[in-house]
Amino acid sequence: MQLARIVKVLCWVLLVIPLLTGCWDRLEIEERAVVLAIAIDEANPEAAEEENDVSHLRGEVPRSQKRMLRLTAQIAVPGRIPLGPAQGGGGSGEKPVWILDVVGHTVEDAIYNLQQEVADRLFLGHLRVIVVNERVARKGLQNMNDALRRNPEVRRAAWMVISKGEASEVVKLNPELERVPALYLLAVLDGAVKQGKMPNAFLGAFWSALTSKGQEAYLPYVEISKKRSILLSGLAYFRGDKLVGTTTPLEIGHFMAMKGINPGGYSALSDVPGQPGAVLFVSSDRTAKIDVNIKNGLPQVKAKVHIEGDLAEKSNAQFDLKDPKTITNIEKAMGTKAGKAFEELIHKTQKQGSDILGIGEIVRGKHSAYWNKSIQTKGKWQETYKEIPVKVDVTISIRRVGMKAQ
Amino acid sequence: METPREITVLQAAIILISTIIGVGVLALPRIAVLSGDTGAPLVTLLGILLAFFGLVMITLLGMRFPNQSLIRYSEVILGKPMARFGSIVIIAFFAVLTALASREFGEVVITSVLRRTPLEITVIVMLLLAAITTRNDITTFAYIHHFYSPIILAPVILIVILSLKNAEVIRLLPIWGNEPNGMFIGVLTVAALFQGFFILTMIIPSMRRPDRAMTASIWGMTIAGGLYLIIVIASLAVFGAEEVKLLLWPTLELAKTTSLPANILERLDAAFLAVWVTAVFTTLFSSYFLMIHATTELFQLRNHRMFSLFFLPFVFIIAMVPDNVLQMYELIEIVGRFGLLITVVYPTILWVVALIRKKRGKNHATRTNR
């Protein structure tokens, strides 16, 4: 009887053990090195000497991966990340992040090299921003995307941005508004999306555009302005996984207008026809429709864009806006000018065969017979895109003039 | 040997729903998109219809023989030797299905959450849980499904709705797909994800009103199929066809991309996985239940309990057969498509033969005096 009881108890214990399986992956929060941001730059081939042999034998690197990358990581220091508003004075001497840089042949290689230097296990689940040097992006991001895609910790809602100049500078920048640099960078990007200054081009959207057959990808393009702040200086557009060009900040507005992304956040200074002086127009709402027709075996694109907005400033007092005709004239003049500017942006991307508007997707979706017959692949569309005629019509409505009556 | 007739139509429908929704949800959009391109929703719909056809056959048979399960009435229809062979194949198939489902579960958990826990442990825990729970009778079985169903349905719907923020309609076009190659195979593979519906044959003999089994089938398939369909549509609209092809588990990525409004939760994959574990459990529970009850009936035993642990080692060993995750998916697709012979074609044959030979089960007296 005694034995039977012991066996019974033992069985129960054995049954309970599997319930403890969660403990295998137990990881205390202080034992994690939380990576908030990484920057990827080019490194000289000589930098290979600097690398320790962590994930490959010396000199035995696959031939295709001879180029070197320098990865700068911003790691959160546990306990120093301020929660809530920062208290004045207290602990201002302690930096909340630790910035490290390593070299590697690929991104994962560099991350393993970094791990070799850091005591705690690197955790990428809170990786918010990936800054990539323009020069690296021009040579292609394929390897980088692959590594980030495979890693289950990386979130698709993270941001990838292209930097003019050294990416590590962007990560090292110490802005005044936030104590954690990576979070400031994040705030810059999120804020820009909310104010209508940038399309929501997060990592997941970038990847989707990258793989789409009839669309090319784009990313925010940033630079450091006067060594103190981060300037959103345009969109970097891609052909395949290679960066082929960048736009000006205002052209982001053009792009968003043609995509009909709201809210409108850009302003334009415009002449007033027949009057001396100029007015500043601030867009608030955009609607757009892109029509594609197939004529003579080539898609013809006609885009209709409507922008609504307000007058924010009038440059001098010599004329007034009382006459509704003046407003109509301004609307017309601005519409024609905008139409030209929009077409110019498209021509610019056409030269590079980079269809960031996704016209190819419209062809693929709505004219699938044509697509299946004569396009089929992404490469073919990139070539076709260069040829297609594009016409943009812009209409503008000025709805309000602010608090001043005249 | 009269089983207690406790199960209502609603419960039967719920059992169907929570059995069908299982491990398959994670890979479904990829499977559909790989074969149908942007025609994936269409592929899914056709798959659903094919599975529904099998379910209708099972239901019709069940209504014809309201007191017996397929294992028993197939003996009446085909004669003992043939039917027994069929039943053994069914049992073996569901053993493999259970094993592969638990393995797929283990792979997902290891890749995305518990990265250092050995695979064997996650698999055995899930199987053990299913094995122990199947020792209960069919009424408890129904209650367990009933209890978990809202937990499975609500979050999935929530994720789909929230994810539509990033959706683009153009990605769903053309609905036929640009290169619809191997659409037929895709339809079969998608239909194979619905094979859990076979459990209905075990439920009908315990239903209070077997004559209303068809209502349960229609509801069960509509809800489970509808859910699968919107998951495919949402994944396709959010990611685009080419991107879905690159994702091992698009539905999980969908949860990862989606955040609750106002930054309450910035990524929903953890929440989704918790729900999904429940969904996997109910699926495993059903297929395990089916397996041991079929065995019990095959040997005409009274008590099913002894089989619940007896099958465990076999199922576990089958689960460990695939070498890696890619091989596993290949196996799942092949086994799944083969399984359609058992879950769709076999019942159809039975039904046709039953019609020809005019076999019919004894009508159970509709209980009026309860």
Side-chain angles (χ1 to χ4, degrees), chain A residues 14-15 18-19 21-22 24-27 121 124-126 128 149-157 200 202 204-205 207-213 215 259 361-366 368 371-372 376, chain B residues 37-38 111-118 121-122 124-125 128-129 132 165-166 168 170-175 177-180 238-247 253-254 256-257 266-267 269:
Chain A
L14 280 177
L15 272 179
L19 298 179
T21 44
W24 244 292
D25 283 87
R26 167 200 53 87
L27 189 58
R121 203 176 75 85
L124 297 180
H126 287 291
R128 310 307 292 265
R149 263 210 183 94
R150 280 182 207 278
N151 192 318
E153 287 171 0
V154 175
R155 35 175 112 189
R156 292 179 78 88
N200 195 3
F202 60 96
W207 283 342
S208 286
L210 198 62
T211 45
S212 289
K213 283 180 182 167
Q215 188 177 9
K259 286 285 258 185
E361 281 293 289
I362 299 174
V363 176
R364 189 189 57 74
K366 297 198 173 148
S368 52
W371 176 278
N372 293 344
Q376 288 174 341
Chain B
D37 213 26
T38 49
T111 318
S112 58
V113 210
L114 306 174
R115 299 173 72 180
R116 287 181 295 173
T117 308
I121 298 294
T122 43
I124 198 86
V125 167
L128 208 62
L129 198 60
I132 292 170
K165 191 177 71 179
N166 298 320
E168 280 182 38
I170 196 76
R171 290 181 175 147
L172 298 172
L173 295 172
I175 48 169
N178 286 101
E179 310 155 357
V238 170
F239 295 127
E242 299 302 311
E243 180 74 9
V244 173
K245 289 179 191 171
L246 295 181
L247 304 171
E253 292 292 337
L254 196 67
K256 233 163 118 179
T257 320
E266 284 197 322
R267 47 196 280 183
D269 54 339

Side-chain angles (χ1 to χ4, degrees), chain B residues 57 61 77-78 341 344-355:
Chain B
M57 284 301 144
L61 280 168
I77 298 171
L78 294 178
L341 287 178
V344 178
V345 178
Y346 185 54
T348 314
I349 293 172
L350 283 181
W351 189 67
V352 171
V353 174
L355 273 189

Side-chain angles (χ1 to χ4, degrees), chain B residues 134 136 202 288-298 304:
Chain B
T134 43
N136 294 305
M202 292 293 159
Y288 207 101
F289 189 87
L290 177 66
M291 188 170 76
I292 62 171
H293 274 257
T295 318
T296 320
E297 295 200 3
L298 181 66
H304 64 273

